[in-house]
Amino acid sequence: MNNDSPNFVNIFLRWLVSIDLVLVVTLIMLLSLGSITLFSATGENSRMMNSHTIHLILATIAMLIATQLPSDMLNRWSVWIYAFGVLVLIMVLIQGSMGKGAQRWLELGSLRFQPAEIMKLAVPMMVASYFSKRILPPNFKDIFVASILVLVPMLLIVKQPDLGTALLVGSAGFFVIYFAGLSWKWLIATALTAMVAAPLVFFYGMHDYQRQRVLTLFNPEADRLGSGYHIIQSTIAIGSGGFYGKGWLKGDQSRLDFLPERHTDFIFAVFGEEFGLLGNMILFSLYLFIIWRGLYLATKGQDTFARLLGGSLSLTFFIYLLVNTGMVSGVLPVVGVPLPLISYGGTSLVTLMIAFGLLMGLRRRKKWYDE
Amino acid sequence: MKKRVTVKSEREEYRLFRSRAYVAAGFIFVALALVFVRLIYLQINSYEHYTELSKENYQKRVPIPPVRGLIYDRNGVLLAGNHIEYVLEAREDGIINRDNALKRLMQLLPINPQDVYKFKQKQRVNSRFQPVVLRKNLTENEIAIFSANRFRFPGFKVSVRMQRNYPLGSLAGHLLGYVGRIDKKDLEKLDKYEYSGSTHIGKSGIEKFYETRLHGKAGYELREVDAHGKPQIKLEDKAPIAGEDLFLSIDIELQLKAEELLKDYNGAVVAIDPRNGEVLAMASMPAYDPNLFVNGISYRDYNSLRNNPDRPLYNRALQGAYPPGSTIKPMAALSGLNAGVVTPTRSLFAKGFFQIPGNKHRFRCWKKSGHGHISLNRAIYQSCDVYFYDLAFRMGIKRYSAAMKKFGFGQKTGIDLPHERSALMPSAEWKRKRYDKFWYPGDTVNTGIGQGYFTATPLQLAFATSIIANHGRKVRPHVLRATRVSRNLPEKLVTPERLPSLGVTKLSYWDDVIRGMVNVVHGAHGTARRAGAGAKYRFAGKTGTAQVYSIAQNKSYNASKLKKKLHDHALFVAFAPANNPRIALAVIAENAGGGSKVAAPIARQLLDTYLLSTDNKKNVKKEDKADLKVNQNDYSPLLDNVNKLKKINKNTTIRP
């Protein structure tokens, strides 16, 4: 390494090289569509739109920084980030048990963020890092260790309780194991176990309100004004949008406050109502393209760690989309998963954009900073 | 089992990853496609269903009730109107610190704690955006006070409400009926859409019978509301159509006179114009004030009306089934002539009683000494009972009953008022069904003088009299004379309904009977000659004294020894002028004694009122008119009505 500090032109050029223009353009399109929708969903609330703008700027900066992080460095940091994350989760739980009830937030000065969000990145990094030092496909012991690495933070988050995030963290970890080469036999066995376990979890492992949500999915009319209300109103919103939609700012369900949580978890209903099936086609195309591009970038990853991490991040993004649209359209139970890149909320946006930054950085030639 | 790789190989791991990525991509595609299928189902297949649900969410149809039609008499005097009432009301979402505001309001305006209690109670039940009334009937002064202090009471405002009002109070109260709050029973029957904004509905009388015409058609306003029920913008609206105005055939001055004359009795008067069946007056005394019912009668008021032994709630003109007594003798005479049982000339020897051959029971005449040789004419004007015992006995109940039914006895006249009773024209079949007993010839004899099982309503009596006055031409009695859809449009007259005429074998029979009736009032020996004295027109009448209590065979009627309730009813039927009748009427005064003494003079005064005052209306000066209202001192409530009536008459006289 020569002693000259890299000049700004060099840094800029390196950024330019590391940025995947195709993904960035698609992300900009999706974020624009999301901001337009959010404007309508917040009831044209300028204060919220201002903070959304700040979130966007923060997220973009975070993404650009993330593009500069090479995979072997991430590989080395994984264990420390993971350890830190688990520690914070335990802290939050202790804080919660000390009388403040459900506690998801950690306050750092004026900044509030959800520590569980870290785990969406830390868990796949940790598991990928673990597998990168093993021979793949993994043997039973490796899978067992990896499963423990996934389950510990996942259970900590379930305890908060935040089922949605736990689900995303769990799937992020699981996808690494999947890409690492979990044998199909095991995969099918896991799926069968899940099917058998589901009723057991339903009857013994769930809070009453969680059980209610599952029941509501099958018969929302049973509790019209209670747990069924969200689903009834969101399906009405989507359904009444029709093919062309009611038009921007003209969604009656959202405009007149019938749709609860319309700028956060249920923003997809606002979109469906105002832009119709036509809008949904465009939206799904954008999402599919982003997932495809993510997987593509992952295959271009430099090493096993990069590929595993990239694959997992892309698939987690898909899970976001599937769970959110599934619940809003009434085919999956209600769990708190936002519509990625569109729902209001800074933490989730920053985490997602970091993930895309990491994805872009994965194909970088390694050791540029050593040379 | 596949061969296990034991050395870390970049290439193998890359390949493994690629194959896994393909499988994942396939899975992603399938999963998202399934969600998309759901979206197609929602947005294409169920689009209409969800659009409907969405509209149900945010569109609120606020009904606008129509203005109820007004009711006038034949000369355009207002009988039922809509009183404008100012109320103080508030919407819960607009009030700041309710209890404090109420306390300050109570210092400002007379509001009693009862009002406040009701207000709070209603606010608890109603939506936050629905106004609730705090005080009703604000005076102009109170409105002024509130308006000046309005800024201190955000959320409160003065609103206008329409309330049914009967300016003449109890006058013609039975006939008009009243409106009342819609109750559960009404809800089952009425049109949910038309009444969605209405609070009141006709409960009796004209108000009930012509409910649909008076009510009008509801309008609505379609408003957008948010999830909390807060109204946003108006989407569309439809103006309500006011109910029709009704012009009754009642002459309110005649009605007033009738009620005045009956005020000392329980009784009824029905006057009909025989030419067209228009009811000119229909009084039932004692009366009640329909205004009491409009906003829900108080328990105490209702009980005192209900438990009053004189039964003021009961419309005697329509529902009172009285033994008609001798008033039906003209109809019986005509039936006898028609059947050939009697002739105009042949006379009968009447002792003081009638006996069925082979039976010892004596059917007594009111005149113990008997009328001697008696013709049809004298039998009517002297009201010979024996003549009519004999007539009915010889006709037999079957023929007699059928003939009398042609005069409308025993059946509803079909007048345009609710709750009419058919009373009873008995027959052998009726008795068998009702009592499971044979009809005895003695039963027939009694019906000949309007006693026994025979009953009739005052309306039926007036109708039967009008048939005689008309020489058999029948027009169904009715109260509605004309209607008006809008104040700017001309009134539309109601066409009277002709009924099949009563045919006679010889046309002169009518005159034979009418001659007898004229002699009742104008003849030297007529039973009501005193009532007919000095009349400026010729009229025909018939007295009746109906027994309420059977007198034993060997006893005689002695009013002083009987309770008032068991005294005879006084009846009188009449029509005038005799040769060209314009009015036919029936008067009944319960337990008042003889028809000639009490009922006939009442009838005479009514005829005078109607014929003389309408004849000379234009010539009568105002002072003279005031003189018409005699006994001013002893009936001041009615007098107030008269004054009101005059005032109203001056302002709103409309002659259809």
Side-chain angles (χ1 to χ4, degrees):
Chain A
M1 187 174 180
N2 59 39
N3 289 330
D4 297 334
S5 58
N7 64 33
F8 287 107
V9 177
N10 273 346
I11 292 175
F12 182 70
L13 282 175
R14 274 206 296 271
W15 263 350
L16 221 56
V17 169
S18 60
I19 282 171
D20 180 54
L21 217 59
V22 178
L23 184 57
V24 166
V25 169
T26 321
L27 284 176
I28 288 171
M29 283 163 69
L30 189 64
L31 285 169
S32 311
L33 200 57
S35 300
I36 290 169
T37 313
L38 195 61
F39 182 68
S40 174
T42 56
E44 305 169 35
N45 183 323
S46 56
R47 196 181 52 76
M48 285 174 100
M49 287 316 285
N50 285 344
S51 55
H52 178 63
T53 312
I54 293 169
H55 295 160
L56 279 176
I57 293 167
L58 282 175
T60 309
I61 293 169
M63 181 188 82
L64 290 176
I65 293 170
T67 55
Q68 298 307 307
L69 306 175
S71 63
D72 55 343
M73 191 175 94
L74 291 173
N75 197 343
R76 269 182 276 134
W77 290 0
S78 293
V79 68
W80 302 111
I81 298 174
Y82 179 82
F84 172 75
V86 171
L87 201 71
V88 176
L89 280 179
I90 291 169
M91 268 168 57
V92 163
L93 267 187
I94 290 167
Q95 205 180 351
S97 68
M98 279 162 74
K100 288 192 177 176
Q103 184 63 263
R104 300 177 183 182
W105 298 90
L106 195 72
E107 310 223 356
L108 297 169
S110 64
L111 224 75
R112 270 160 34 109
F113 86 115
Q114 293 186 328
E117 287 289 327
I118 301 175
M119 297 317 273
K120 286 182 187 166
L121 297 173
V123 167
M125 278 166 72
M126 182 65 225
V127 182
S129 170
Y130 174 74
F131 280 129
S132 69
K133 287 151 199 148
R134 308 277 139 182
I135 292 164
L136 300 183
N139 59 25
F140 179 78
K141 195 201 94 192
D142 295 338
I143 291 172
F144 182 77
V145 172
S147 302
I148 296 296
L149 289 173
V150 177
L151 283 173
V152 168
M154 193 179 159
L155 290 175
L156 287 173
I157 298 168
V158 167
K159 269 278 168 198
Q160 283 188 352
D162 184 350
L163 212 58
T165 309
L167 182 76
L168 290 170
V169 168
S171 27
F174 168 78
F175 287 135
V176 180
I177 302 174
Y178 164 77
F179 279 117
L182 177 67
S183 74
W184 296 113
K185 248 191 336 197
W186 273 101
L187 205 62
I188 291 163
T190 314
L192 286 176
T193 314
M195 264 148 80
V196 175
L200 293 174
V201 172
F202 177 78
F203 285 114
Y204 303 109
M206 280 188 177
H207 285 268
D208 275 345
Y209 82 93
Q210 291 163 336
R211 209 171 324 193
Q212 192 58 48
R213 281 180 182 179
V214 176
L215 288 176
T216 298
L217 178 70
F218 297 112
N219 185 14
E221 295 294 325
D223 191 7
R224 279 198 70 89
L225 296 174
S227 56
Y229 185 76
H230 286 50
I231 290 301
I232 290 170
Q233 296 303 338
S234 68
T235 45
I236 290 174
I238 295 173
S240 64
F243 185 76
Y244 294 106
K246 293 178 183 172
W248 186 48
L249 300 178
K250 286 181 187 147
D252 303 307
Q253 287 286 105
S254 72
R255 195 166 53 84
L256 297 168
D257 219 10
F258 288 99
L259 204 55
E261 293 173 41
R262 61 183 199 271
H263 61 280
T264 54
D265 288 357
F266 279 77
I267 198 166
F268 179 59
V270 179
F271 184 87
E273 184 180 26
E274 298 194 348
F275 302 110
L277 192 65
L278 195 62
N280 281 333
M281 282 179 189
I282 295 167
L283 187 76
F284 272 60
S285 305
L286 288 174
Y287 275 124
L288 263 177
F289 188 81
I290 288 170
I291 295 163
W292 170 80
R293 192 68 188 172
L295 280 174
Y296 169 79
L297 290 175
T299 58
K300 298 279 175 227
Q302 273 311 298
D303 49 21
T304 304
F305 171 79
R307 285 192 293 269
L308 293 182
L309 180 60
S312 165
L313 292 179
S314 306
L315 254 63
T316 307
F317 187 73
F318 152 73
I319 289 295
Y320 259 104
L321 179 67
L322 179 72
V323 171
N324 182 270
T325 56
M327 92 184 177
V328 174
S329 61
V331 286
L332 291 177
V334 175
V335 282
V337 172
L339 186 65
L341 301 180
I342 293 184
S343 283
Y344 181 84
T347 322
S348 151
L349 188 64
V350 169
T351 315
L352 280 163
M353 290 299 274
I354 289 174
F356 285 114
L358 293 178
L359 265 170
M360 292 181 205
L362 293 177
R363 62 176 179 175
R364 163 185 304 286
R365 293 241 144 264
K366 58 181 165 181
K367 292 174 185 151
W368 56 271
Y369 52 93
D370 291 334
E371 283 158 9
Chain B
M1 196 165 177
K2 254 189 187 171
K3 200 181 90 186
R4 195 144 185 119
V5 185
T6 45
V7 186
K8 201 162 170 66
S9 149
E10 266 298 304
R11 203 193 171 96
E12 273 304 309
E13 287 183 12
Y14 177 72
R15 239 192 240 156
L16 177 69
F17 181 83
R18 290 245 343 205
S19 69
R20 290 276 155 145
Y22 282 132
V23 173
F27 179 73
I28 289 167
F29 191 79
V30 170
L32 290 185
L34 286 176
V35 173
F36 207 78
V37 166
R38 167 72 174 172
L39 293 178
I40 292 169
Y41 169 76
L42 289 178
Q43 299 191 301
I44 305 295
N45 299 37
S46 318
Y47 168 64
E48 267 131 54
H49 172 64
Y50 285 113
T51 302
E52 206 48 50
L53 289 180
S54 167
K55 277 184 185 165
E56 264 175 43
N57 261 347
Y58 75 89
Q59 293 184 351
K60 271 279 126 61
R61 189 183 286 269
V62 181
I64 308 172
V67 176
R68 197 172 176 85
L70 307 179
I71 305 176
Y72 298 95
D73 92 332
R74 64 186 299 123
N75 296 316
V77 177
L78 186 71
L79 305 181
N82 297 317
H83 176 65
I84 291 174
E85 185 193 22
Y86 293 93
V87 295
L88 182 62
E89 59 180 25
R91 257 170 57 170
E92 198 182 340
D93 67 322
I95 307 175
I96 299 162
N97 193 352
R98 185 178 74 173
D99 291 336
N100 181 277
L102 287 175
K103 207 182 276 172
R104 282 181 294 130
L105 262 175
M106 282 173 84
Q107 288 160 4
L108 199 68
L109 297 172
I111 297 169
N112 61 45
Q114 191 70 24
D115 291 334
V116 175
Y117 175 75
K118 275 190 192 161
F119 175 75
K120 287 183 175 173
Q121 206 74 338
K122 265 192 201 159
Q123 272 203 338
R124 198 168 306 155
V125 181
N126 288 1
S127 147
R128 287 171 6 98
F129 307 104
Q130 204 176 329
V132 174
V133 172
L134 174 61
R135 240 295 305 271
K136 292 186 235 176
N137 268 320
L138 293 175
T139 63
E140 274 176 39
N141 197 24
E142 285 164 352
I143 294 169
I145 293 171
F146 177 76
S147 302
N149 291 281
R150 207 188 147 167
F151 65 97
R152 289 171 55 204
F153 303 100
F156 286 89
K157 65 168 186 179
V158 173
S159 299
V160 180
R161 282 203 319 198
M162 290 280 214
Q163 194 189 312
R164 196 61 156 175
N165 172 259
Y166 304 97
L168 304 186
S170 68
L171 189 58
H174 283 292
L175 175 81
L176 289 171
Y178 50 85
V179 297
R181 291 258 160 89
I182 294 173
D183 59 31
K184 265 189 200 149
K185 237 166 71 193
D186 299 323
L187 274 175
E188 285 165 15
K189 283 177 281 179
L190 52 73
D191 182 326
K192 292 269 179 334
Y193 173 75
E194 291 298 347
Y195 283 84
S196 46
S198 305
T199 52
H200 287 70
I201 191 168
K203 297 274 188 182
S204 78
I206 288 287
E207 294 272 32
K208 178 175 178 154
F209 195 88
Y210 287 111
E211 172 59 29
T212 36
R213 299 176 86 156
L214 286 165
H215 181 265
K217 301 254 171 230
Y220 67 84
E221 194 178 284
L222 198 61
R223 277 192 215 145
E224 189 182 282
V225 292
D226 70 8
H228 317 288
K230 192 171 180 173
Q232 309 283 317
I233 52 167
K234 189 159 84 180
L235 298 170
E236 64 180 83
D237 62 353
K238 192 181 130 207
I241 299 167
E244 287 176 53
D245 292 340
L246 305 185
F247 290 86
L248 305 186
S249 55
I250 298 297
D251 180 325
I252 202 67
E253 282 189 53
L254 185 67
Q255 178 81 21
L256 175 67
K257 189 77 186 171
E259 293 195 13
E260 262 183 332
L261 292 169
L262 275 179
K263 69 180 191 295
D264 295 331
Y265 308 103
N266 294 343
V269 165
V270 177
I272 299 177
D273 187 333
R275 296 168 301 178
N276 50 26
E278 287 176 1
V279 174
L280 301 169
M282 181 182 278
S284 172
M285 293 300 273
Y288 61 89
D289 184 354
N291 287 308
L292 286 175
F293 289 86
V294 175
N295 263 332
I297 187 166
S298 74
Y299 186 73
R300 226 185 62 212
D301 285 345
Y302 189 64
N303 260 356
S304 82
L305 282 176
R306 234 194 120 92
N307 299 334
N308 187 326
D310 295 329
R311 300 176 69 193
L313 289 176
Y314 160 71
N315 185 358
R316 292 170 157 79
L318 281 184
Q319 293 159 300
Y322 297 98
S326 304
T327 54
I328 56 95
K329 282 176 183 164
M331 300 83 186
L334 192 103
S335 303
L337 287 169
N338 229 1
V341 178
V342 293
T343 70
T345 47
R346 193 167 51 205
S347 51
L348 172 105
F349 184 80
K351 297 178 282 189
F353 57 87
F354 173 81
Q355 273 176 312
I356 296 168
N359 192 315
K360 277 184 185 163
H361 183 90
R362 288 180 172 192
F363 294 90
R364 288 178 295 185
C365 181
W366 64 271
K367 192 170 178 181
K368 281 179 203 151
S369 55
H371 287 93
H373 283 282
I374 191 156
S375 66
L376 179 99
N377 180 17
R378 196 155 78 85
I380 293 174
Y381 75 73
Q382 290 220 320
S383 200
C384 174
D385 288 341
V386 174
Y387 187 92
F388 288 96
Y389 288 143
D390 175 69
L391 181 149
F393 176 71
R394 283 195 293 130
M395 254 182 109
I397 189 62
K398 202 169 175 183
R399 275 200 293 170
Y400 181 71
S401 181
M404 291 302 269
K405 273 183 178 160
K406 288 189 177 166
F407 282 98
F409 290 114
Q411 55 207 318
K412 292 177 184 174
T413 62
I415 191 172
D416 47 351
L417 283 170
H419 312 306
E420 186 190 358
R421 270 181 72 179
S422 56
L424 183 66
M425 181 67 235
S427 66
E429 294 84 63
W430 166 82
K431 194 179 177 187
R432 201 179 315 118
K433 264 189 213 152
R434 180 78 169 74
Y435 295 112
D436 196 22
K437 275 183 181 162
F438 287 114
W439 183 270
Y440 297 109
D443 295 329
T444 314
V445 172
N446 272 327
T447 58
I449 61 155
Q451 292 278 173
Y453 298 114
F454 192 176
T455 58
T457 65
L459 175 65
Q460 282 172 337
L461 280 176
F463 178 47
T465 310
S466 80
I467 295 170
I468 291 185
N470 260 348
H471 290 219
R473 199 168 149 270
K474 282 202 264 185
V475 189
R476 195 187 295 285
H478 58 100
V479 183
L480 184 66
R481 183 162 188 270
T483 59
R484 183 172 71 179
V485 176
S486 149
R487 210 155 281 208
N488 313 316
L489 291 174
E491 296 82 14
K492 215 179 111 198
L493 280 170
V494 170
T495 319
E497 188 191 344
R498 278 292 304 272
L499 298 170
S501 289
L502 198 157
V504 282
T505 45
K506 217 166 152 192
L507 278 175
S508 62
Y509 288 161
W510 292 113
D511 291 322
D512 293 324
V513 172
I514 290 169
R515 194 178 311 121
M517 289 178 76
V518 170
N519 285 334
V520 169
V521 283
H522 297 300
H525 303 286
T527 48
R529 57 189 177 276
R530 244 172 263 146
K536 289 181 183 155
Y537 47 86
R538 278 176 78 76
F539 70 107
K542 182 70 197 80
T543 53
T545 303
Q547 280 182 14
V548 177
Y549 176 73
S550 299
I551 309 297
Q553 281 279 292
N554 52 353
K555 297 264 172 64
S556 61
Y557 177 80
N558 187 344
S560 56
K561 279 189 186 165
L562 283 168
K563 282 185 198 158
K564 177 83 177 159
K565 272 266 158 207
L566 301 175
H567 284 193
D568 291 345
H569 293 330
L571 294 101
F572 194 72
V573 297
F575 61 87
N579 53 351
N580 181 25
R582 280 159 43 206
I583 176 170
L585 55 75
V587 176
I588 176 156
E590 289 177 18
N591 315 112
S596 54
K597 250 186 275 169
V598 181
I602 290 176
R604 166 68 194 281
Q605 284 197 62
L606 290 173
L607 295 178
D608 281 355
T609 304
Y610 186 70
L611 294 172
L612 302 182
S613 73
T614 46
D615 274 351
N616 307 323
K617 230 169 198 169
K618 274 162 201 159
N619 307 333
V620 177
K621 286 177 200 156
K622 269 191 180 162
E623 299 87 55
D624 296 338
K625 234 181 159 183
D627 285 343
L628 275 175
K629 321 295 183 231
V630 281
N631 301 333
Q632 287 188 357
N633 298 334
D634 36 0
Y635 211 70
S636 46
L638 262 180
L639 185 77
D640 290 343
N641 288 335
V642 175
N643 292 333
K644 267 188 210 162
L645 191 154
K646 275 191 201 155
K647 229 192 201 162
I648 292 155
N649 236 335
K650 220 187 284 168
N651 298 336
T652 62
T653 296
I654 299 151
R655 286 172 187 283

